[in-house]
Amino acid sequence: MTQTTPNRLLWRDVTVFDGLATRPEPMAVIVEDGRIARLLPMQDLDAALTDGCRDMGRGGVMTPGLVDCHTHIVFGGGRAEEFEARLEGVSYEEIARRGGGILSTVKATRQASEDTLFRAALPRLEAMIADGATTVEIKSGYGLTVNDELKMLRVARRLGEALPVRVVTTLLGAHALPPEYQGRSDAYIDLVCDEMIPAAAAEGLADAVDVFCEKIAFSVAQCERVFQAAEAHGLPIKAHAEQLSNLGGTAMAARHGALSADHIEYLDPAGIEAMREAGSVAVILPGAFHTLRETQQPPIAGLREAGVPMAVATDANPGSSPLFMPSLMLNLACTLFRLTPSEALAGMTAHGAAALGRRELGRLEEGAPADLCVWNIDSPAELAYAVQPGRLRQRLFQGVPSHGA
Ligand SMILES: N=CN[C@@H](CCC(=O)O)C(=O)O
Ligand SMILES: [Zn+2]
């Protein structure tokens, strides 16, 4: 008899959501050497395949590990006071204009050491891991000096080294105008283009470059300059765009081949068409919509009709989305924006990975990395239907069980 090799793992009779759709029949899955070695209907499983496998159990739902493609989980301080002000009727934009909002987090983040930021972010990322995330994007954007932005990116990289999760980093130097550049926004964009991007690229700290294209942040022309600098350093781009108004930032980003445009509540048909042509992913952020009590819905029907892939992410941050639970976003995407549960789940697996330019992730198929979750539920739709921690039975990161082994 062949001896059981612990690195050949077998699940039987699982319902598989493969990143895009639910497989119609009960499946068997074998993981070996960090990859999905076999994914086949139960009826095709024979003794030759199961020989030497460690039995990982039967039944439940298997999905790719969740991919949270838009977060800001490295930050100093908190913004509960701003939350209270907003409940009293002060708008997010008004708070930003008064120098609060993002800039209050900038102040606290600048004051914090790398270690302090690391220790504060650790439980946030651990919560996401416990909820099934295996890939989490983390943006800078609360430092707004070369050193403070690099400090944030270093913390993000350290988090990925410390925990069993893949961290993808994004430089968001063009997030807000820092107070010392008041009235000199073009000069700040010079700093982002001429110093921040080259420094982050030289140290290998950024996997992509992002901007906030909005009246309270940067113009389309300024964001385009940031993209040109990113391109010059071989870095892919993405944009926070059309969140509070329609400036045309998404169409411009798409013309530059953006991986994604994120928020996009105010996106118009021309913007949708530009995304379709460019193959950009629309990142839907229901947590910010919910927290800011927005009323303008992203154009889900138009995106669906155009075939623009939709990702779903937490946007976890101290201001507009202090929500650190990826699975909650599946529910909110369905209840607030009427995504189907399958669309929401694809948005946090295959399409989330595409928004990061990592199309090999977020999929369950033979040969793919074995980042996966097994859930104690009967159908994938239950993940979006109920907001219920504790359903994660097993989680594998790169083939290694890190939960429920
Ligand atoms: N929209 C801009 N940036 C963040 C908000 C960050 C904050 O409010 O601190 C977002 O994605 O929602
Ligand atoms: Zn964001």
Side-chain angles (χ1 to χ4, degrees), residues 213-249:
C213 188
E214 193 51 71
K215 285 182 204 145
I216 56 169
F218 298 100
S219 70
V220 174
Q222 289 171 326
C223 293
E224 186 158 29
R225 288 184 52 210
V226 174
F227 290 160
Q228 285 159 347
E231 281 157 15
H233 288 84
L235 292 171
I237 56 151
K238 42 180 51 233
H240 289 67
E242 268 70 71
Q243 179 187 10
L244 308 169
S245 60
N246 184 342
L247 296 187

Side-chain angles (χ1 to χ4, degrees), residues 70 72 79 92 102 105 142 175 212 240 243 263 285 288 315 317-320:
H70 183 139
H72 308 249
R79 307 236 296 266
Y92 183 67
I102 293 173
T105 301
Y142 294 123
H175 193 197
F212 186 15
H240 289 67
Q243 179 187 10
H263 288 289
L285 302 171
D315 190 17
N317 76 67
S320 65

